[in-house]
mmCIF file of all heavy atoms in Angstrom:
data_model
loop_
_atom_site.group_PDB
_atom_site.id
_atom_site.type_symbol
_atom_site.label_atom_id
_atom_site.label_comp_id
_atom_site.label_asym_id
_atom_site.label_seq_id
_atom_site.Cartn_x
_atom_site.Cartn_y
_atom_site.Cartn_z
ATOM 1 N N HIS A 271 98.550 97.089 115.451
ATOM 2 C CA HIS A 271 99.237 96.214 116.401
ATOM 3 C C HIS A 271 99.395 94.853 115.729
ATOM 4 O O HIS A 271 98.401 94.188 115.438
ATOM 5 C CB HIS A 271 98.423 96.087 117.686
ATOM 6 C CG HIS A 271 98.283 97.386 118.409
ATOM 7 N ND1 HIS A 271 98.745 97.564 119.669
ATOM 8 C CD2 HIS A 271 97.750 98.570 118.034
ATOM 9 C CE1 HIS A 271 98.495 98.800 120.065
ATOM 10 N NE2 HIS A 271 97.899 99.434 119.073
ATOM 11 N N LEU A 272 100.632 94.466 115.459
ATOM 12 C CA LEU A 272 100.934 93.231 114.729
ATOM 13 C C LEU A 272 101.488 92.197 115.698
ATOM 14 O O LEU A 272 102.437 92.470 116.430
ATOM 15 C CB LEU A 272 101.961 93.511 113.644
ATOM 16 C CG LEU A 272 101.563 94.602 112.659
ATOM 17 C CD1 LEU A 272 102.760 95.080 111.878
ATOM 18 C CD2 LEU A 272 100.482 94.092 111.745
ATOM 19 N N THR A 273 100.926 90.996 115.687
ATOM 20 C CA THR A 273 101.384 89.924 116.564
ATOM 21 C C THR A 273 102.021 88.836 115.714
ATOM 22 O O THR A 273 101.390 88.304 114.803
ATOM 23 C CB THR A 273 100.216 89.352 117.384
ATOM 24 O OG1 THR A 273 99.607 90.416 118.109
ATOM 25 C CG2 THR A 273 100.709 88.296 118.358
ATOM 26 N N VAL A 274 103.277 88.524 116.039
ATOM 27 C CA VAL A 274 104.054 87.544 115.284
ATOM 28 C C VAL A 274 104.412 86.383 116.205
ATOM 29 O O VAL A 274 104.847 86.580 117.335
ATOM 30 C CB VAL A 274 105.340 88.195 114.717
ATOM 31 C CG1 VAL A 274 106.225 87.161 114.038
ATOM 32 C CG2 VAL A 274 104.978 89.307 113.741
ATOM 33 N N TYR A 275 104.219 85.168 115.701
ATOM 34 C CA TYR A 275 104.553 83.958 116.448
ATOM 35 C C TYR A 275 105.908 83.436 115.983
ATOM 36 O O TYR A 275 106.154 83.295 114.791
ATOM 37 C CB TYR A 275 103.486 82.888 116.226
ATOM 38 C CG TYR A 275 103.849 81.566 116.844
ATOM 39 C CD1 TYR A 275 103.855 81.396 118.218
ATOM 40 C CD2 TYR A 275 104.194 80.484 116.053
ATOM 41 C CE1 TYR A 275 104.192 80.185 118.791
ATOM 42 C CE2 TYR A 275 104.535 79.271 116.615
ATOM 43 C CZ TYR A 275 104.528 79.130 117.985
ATOM 44 O OH TYR A 275 104.876 77.913 118.536
ATOM 45 N N ASP A 276 106.773 83.151 116.936
ATOM 46 C CA ASP A 276 108.103 82.580 116.656
ATOM 47 C C ASP A 276 108.257 81.330 117.510
ATOM 48 O O ASP A 276 108.434 81.430 118.724
ATOM 49 C CB ASP A 276 109.198 83.589 117.000
ATOM 50 C CG ASP A 276 110.597 83.050 116.736
ATOM 51 O OD1 ASP A 276 110.738 81.870 116.345
ATOM 52 O OD2 ASP A 276 111.556 83.815 116.918
ATOM 53 N N PRO A 277 108.188 80.141 116.911
ATOM 54 C CA PRO A 277 108.276 78.912 117.696
ATOM 55 C C PRO A 277 109.637 78.721 118.375
ATOM 56 O O PRO A 277 109.745 77.965 119.330
ATOM 57 C CB PRO A 277 108.005 77.804 116.680
ATOM 58 C CG PRO A 277 108.315 78.402 115.363
ATOM 59 C CD PRO A 277 108.039 79.872 115.486
ATOM 60 N N ALA A 278 110.665 79.427 117.920
ATOM 61 C CA ALA A 278 111.998 79.268 118.494
ATOM 62 C C ALA A 278 112.242 80.199 119.685
ATOM 63 O O ALA A 278 113.226 80.052 120.391
ATOM 64 C CB ALA A 278 113.060 79.522 117.423
ATOM 65 N N GLY A 279 111.362 81.158 119.905
ATOM 66 C CA GLY A 279 111.577 82.129 120.979
ATOM 67 C C GLY A 279 110.358 82.225 121.856
ATOM 68 O O GLY A 279 109.644 81.241 122.047
ATOM 69 N N PRO A 280 110.122 83.432 122.376
ATOM 70 C CA PRO A 280 108.894 83.623 123.143
ATOM 71 C C PRO A 280 107.700 83.268 122.263
ATOM 72 O O PRO A 280 107.787 83.364 121.036
ATOM 73 C CB PRO A 280 108.892 85.110 123.477
ATOM 74 C CG PRO A 280 110.257 85.613 123.174
ATOM 75 C CD PRO A 280 110.892 84.649 122.225
ATOM 76 N N SER A 281 106.612 82.875 122.856
ATOM 77 C CA SER A 281 105.487 82.384 122.065
ATOM 78 C C SER A 281 104.986 83.392 121.033
ATOM 79 O O SER A 281 104.615 83.016 119.940
ATOM 80 C CB SER A 281 104.336 81.953 122.959
ATOM 81 O OG SER A 281 103.897 83.031 123.751
ATOM 82 N N LYS A 282 104.980 84.688 121.396
ATOM 83 C CA LYS A 282 104.568 85.705 120.420
ATOM 84 C C LYS A 282 105.107 87.060 120.835
ATOM 85 O O LYS A 282 105.438 87.298 121.984
ATOM 86 C CB LYS A 282 103.060 85.753 120.262
ATOM 87 C CG LYS A 282 102.316 86.082 121.528
ATOM 88 C CD LYS A 282 100.823 85.989 121.307
ATOM 89 C CE LYS A 282 100.092 86.210 122.613
ATOM 90 N NZ LYS A 282 98.658 86.150 122.457
ATOM 91 N N GLN A 283 105.194 87.950 119.851
ATOM 92 C CA GLN A 283 105.689 89.308 120.062
ATOM 93 C C GLN A 283 104.749 90.245 119.336
ATOM 94 O O GLN A 283 104.301 89.949 118.234
ATOM 95 C CB GLN A 283 107.107 89.430 119.503
ATOM 96 C CG GLN A 283 107.722 90.786 119.631
ATOM 97 C CD GLN A 283 108.122 91.113 121.066
ATOM 98 O OE1 GLN A 283 108.583 90.251 121.784
ATOM 99 N NE2 GLN A 283 107.922 92.340 121.461
ATOM 100 N N THR A 284 104.452 91.394 119.948
ATOM 101 C CA THR A 284 103.567 92.373 119.317
ATOM 102 C C THR A 284 104.306 93.689 119.127
ATOM 103 O O THR A 284 104.996 94.150 120.032
ATOM 104 C CB THR A 284 102.303 92.602 120.174
ATOM 105 O OG1 THR A 284 101.615 91.357 120.313
ATOM 106 C CG2 THR A 284 101.375 93.611 119.517
ATOM 107 N N TRP A 285 104.157 94.258 117.930
ATOM 108 C CA TRP A 285 104.719 95.564 117.616
ATOM 109 C C TRP A 285 103.603 96.462 117.112
ATOM 110 O O TRP A 285 102.639 95.996 116.521
ATOM 111 C CB TRP A 285 105.786 95.461 116.527
ATOM 112 C CG TRP A 285 107.008 94.731 116.949
ATOM 113 C CD1 TRP A 285 108.049 95.217 117.692
ATOM 114 C CD2 TRP A 285 107.351 93.382 116.646
ATOM 115 N NE1 TRP A 285 108.997 94.246 117.875
ATOM 116 C CE2 TRP A 285 108.591 93.104 117.241
ATOM 117 C CE3 TRP A 285 106.719 92.365 115.936
ATOM 118 C CZ2 TRP A 285 109.218 91.875 117.152
ATOM 119 C CZ3 TRP A 285 107.338 91.137 115.846
ATOM 120 C CH2 TRP A 285 108.574 90.907 116.446
ATOM 121 N N VAL A 286 103.760 97.755 117.304
ATOM 122 C CA VAL A 286 102.812 98.740 116.780
ATOM 123 C C VAL A 286 103.520 99.451 115.635
ATOM 124 O O VAL A 286 104.574 100.057 115.830
ATOM 125 C CB VAL A 286 102.382 99.755 117.865
ATOM 126 C CG1 VAL A 286 101.395 100.759 117.283
ATOM 127 C CG2 VAL A 286 101.785 99.033 119.062
ATOM 128 N N CYS A 287 102.940 99.356 114.434
ATOM 129 C CA CYS A 287 103.580 99.911 113.240
ATOM 130 C C CYS A 287 102.645 100.865 112.511
ATOM 131 O O CYS A 287 101.428 100.782 112.642
ATOM 132 C CB CYS A 287 103.977 98.787 112.285
ATOM 133 S SG CYS A 287 105.281 97.724 112.918
ATOM 134 N N ASP A 288 103.247 101.722 111.684
ATOM 135 C CA ASP A 288 102.468 102.611 110.832
ATOM 136 C C ASP A 288 101.990 101.833 109.598
ATOM 137 O O ASP A 288 102.293 100.649 109.438
ATOM 138 C CB ASP A 288 103.286 103.845 110.444
ATOM 139 C CG ASP A 288 104.537 103.501 109.650
ATOM 140 O OD1 ASP A 288 104.692 102.343 109.176
ATOM 141 O OD2 ASP A 288 105.386 104.390 109.492
ATOM 142 N N GLU A 289 101.246 102.505 108.722
ATOM 143 C CA GLU A 289 100.678 101.841 107.542
ATOM 144 C C GLU A 289 101.737 101.221 106.628
ATOM 145 O O GLU A 289 101.583 100.102 106.164
ATOM 146 C CB GLU A 289 99.829 102.830 106.737
ATOM 147 C CG GLU A 289 98.549 103.226 107.409
ATOM 148 C CD GLU A 289 97.509 102.118 107.417
ATOM 149 O OE1 GLU A 289 97.491 101.289 106.487
ATOM 150 O OE2 GLU A 289 96.716 102.088 108.359
ATOM 151 N N ALA A 290 102.822 101.958 106.371
ATOM 152 C CA ALA A 290 103.844 101.467 105.441
ATOM 153 C C ALA A 290 104.518 100.200 105.967
ATOM 154 O O ALA A 290 104.688 99.226 105.227
ATOM 155 C CB ALA A 290 104.889 102.554 105.180
ATOM 156 N N ASN A 291 104.900 100.193 107.243
ATOM 157 C CA ASN A 291 105.536 99.012 107.806
ATOM 158 C C ASN A 291 104.550 97.858 107.958
ATOM 159 O O ASN A 291 104.909 96.701 107.772
ATOM 160 C CB ASN A 291 106.198 99.338 109.149
ATOM 161 C CG ASN A 291 107.566 99.950 108.943
ATOM 162 O OD1 ASN A 291 108.522 99.274 108.626
ATOM 163 N ND2 ASN A 291 107.649 101.274 109.100
ATOM 164 N N THR A 292 103.288 98.171 108.264
ATOM 165 C CA THR A 292 102.263 97.125 108.351
ATOM 166 C C THR A 292 102.112 96.420 107.009
ATOM 167 O O THR A 292 102.075 95.190 106.944
ATOM 168 C CB THR A 292 100.907 97.721 108.790
ATOM 169 O OG1 THR A 292 101.050 98.233 110.115
ATOM 170 C CG2 THR A 292 99.805 96.687 108.752
ATOM 171 N N GLU A 293 102.051 97.196 105.937
ATOM 172 C CA GLU A 293 101.910 96.604 104.598
ATOM 173 C C GLU A 293 103.102 95.705 104.277
ATOM 174 O O GLU A 293 102.940 94.607 103.750
ATOM 175 C CB GLU A 293 101.774 97.707 103.551
ATOM 176 C CG GLU A 293 101.528 97.167 102.163
ATOM 177 C CD GLU A 293 101.268 98.265 101.143
ATOM 178 O OE1 GLU A 293 100.773 99.338 101.526
ATOM 179 O OE2 GLU A 293 101.572 98.017 99.965
ATOM 180 N N ARG A 294 104.305 96.148 104.629
ATOM 181 C CA ARG A 294 105.506 95.333 104.380
ATOM 182 C C ARG A 294 105.486 94.046 105.195
ATOM 183 O O ARG A 294 105.833 92.982 104.680
ATOM 184 C CB ARG A 294 106.766 96.133 104.704
ATOM 185 C CG ARG A 294 107.053 97.225 103.692
ATOM 186 C CD ARG A 294 108.370 97.951 103.946
ATOM 187 N NE ARG A 294 109.456 97.012 104.151
ATOM 188 C CZ ARG A 294 110.268 97.012 105.223
ATOM 189 N NH1 ARG A 294 110.129 97.907 106.174
ATOM 190 N NH2 ARG A 294 111.226 96.131 105.323
ATOM 191 N N VAL A 295 105.072 94.128 106.467
ATOM 192 C CA VAL A 295 105.011 92.930 107.316
ATOM 193 C C VAL A 295 104.041 91.913 106.723
ATOM 194 O O VAL A 295 104.372 90.730 106.597
ATOM 195 C CB VAL A 295 104.607 93.293 108.772
ATOM 196 C CG1 VAL A 295 104.212 92.048 109.554
ATOM 197 C CG2 VAL A 295 105.736 94.026 109.479
ATOM 198 N N VAL A 296 102.843 92.354 106.351
ATOM 199 C CA VAL A 296 101.837 91.445 105.790
ATOM 200 C C VAL A 296 102.342 90.826 104.488
ATOM 201 O O VAL A 296 102.239 89.616 104.279
ATOM 202 C CB VAL A 296 100.489 92.170 105.593
ATOM 203 C CG1 VAL A 296 99.509 91.303 104.812
ATOM 204 C CG2 VAL A 296 99.908 92.569 106.944
ATOM 205 N N THR A 297 102.911 91.633 103.615
ATOM 206 C CA THR A 297 103.432 91.137 102.334
ATOM 207 C C THR A 297 104.552 90.132 102.551
ATOM 208 O O THR A 297 104.563 89.053 101.944
ATOM 209 C CB THR A 297 103.943 92.310 101.470
ATOM 210 O OG1 THR A 297 102.848 93.202 101.227
ATOM 211 C CG2 THR A 297 104.504 91.826 100.151
ATOM 212 N N ASP A 298 105.500 90.454 103.425
ATOM 213 C CA ASP A 298 106.636 89.560 103.678
ATOM 214 C C ASP A 298 106.194 88.269 104.355
ATOM 215 O O ASP A 298 106.724 87.194 104.076
ATOM 216 C CB ASP A 298 107.704 90.257 104.521
ATOM 217 C CG ASP A 298 108.400 91.385 103.766
ATOM 218 O OD1 ASP A 298 108.169 91.525 102.542
ATOM 219 O OD2 ASP A 298 109.162 92.127 104.403
ATOM 220 N N ASP A 299 105.200 88.340 105.248
ATOM 221 C CA ASP A 299 104.670 87.135 105.891
ATOM 222 C C ASP A 299 104.078 86.201 104.846
ATOM 223 O O ASP A 299 104.348 85.003 104.851
ATOM 224 C CB ASP A 299 103.614 87.502 106.930
ATOM 225 C CG ASP A 299 102.894 86.271 107.468
ATOM 226 O OD1 ASP A 299 103.572 85.386 108.018
ATOM 227 O OD2 ASP A 299 101.664 86.199 107.334
ATOM 228 N N HIS A 300 103.306 86.740 103.923
ATOM 229 C CA HIS A 300 102.692 85.908 102.890
ATOM 230 C C HIS A 300 103.746 85.310 101.960
ATOM 231 O O HIS A 300 103.581 84.185 101.492
ATOM 232 C CB HIS A 300 101.654 86.700 102.099
ATOM 233 C CG HIS A 300 100.396 86.911 102.858
ATOM 234 N ND1 HIS A 300 99.381 86.002 102.893
ATOM 235 C CD2 HIS A 300 99.996 87.929 103.654
ATOM 236 C CE1 HIS A 300 98.410 86.434 103.664
ATOM 237 N NE2 HIS A 300 98.763 87.611 104.144
ATOM 238 N N ALA A 301 104.827 86.022 101.699
ATOM 239 C CA ALA A 301 105.893 85.519 100.833
ATOM 240 C C ALA A 301 106.760 84.496 101.561
ATOM 241 O O ALA A 301 107.329 83.604 100.927
ATOM 242 C CB ALA A 301 106.767 86.672 100.346
#
């Protein structure tokens, strides 16, 4: 369960992802 904060929209959004998409989200967030 990944929680992303977007200051321009709703305060936060949560998605449920598999391992591959989770790894991409974490990598892209850090970049």
Side-chain angles (χ1 to χ4, degrees):
H271 296 240
L272 304 164
T273 304
V274 175
Y275 174 71
D276 180 357
S281 59
K282 60 185 175 179
Q283 179 73 38
T284 300
W285 293 280
V286 180
C287 293
D288 62 12
E289 290 288 330
N291 277 284
T292 295
E293 184 175 332
R294 288 185 49 234
V295 166
V296 171
T297 300
D298 292 352
D299 171 59
H300 285 275

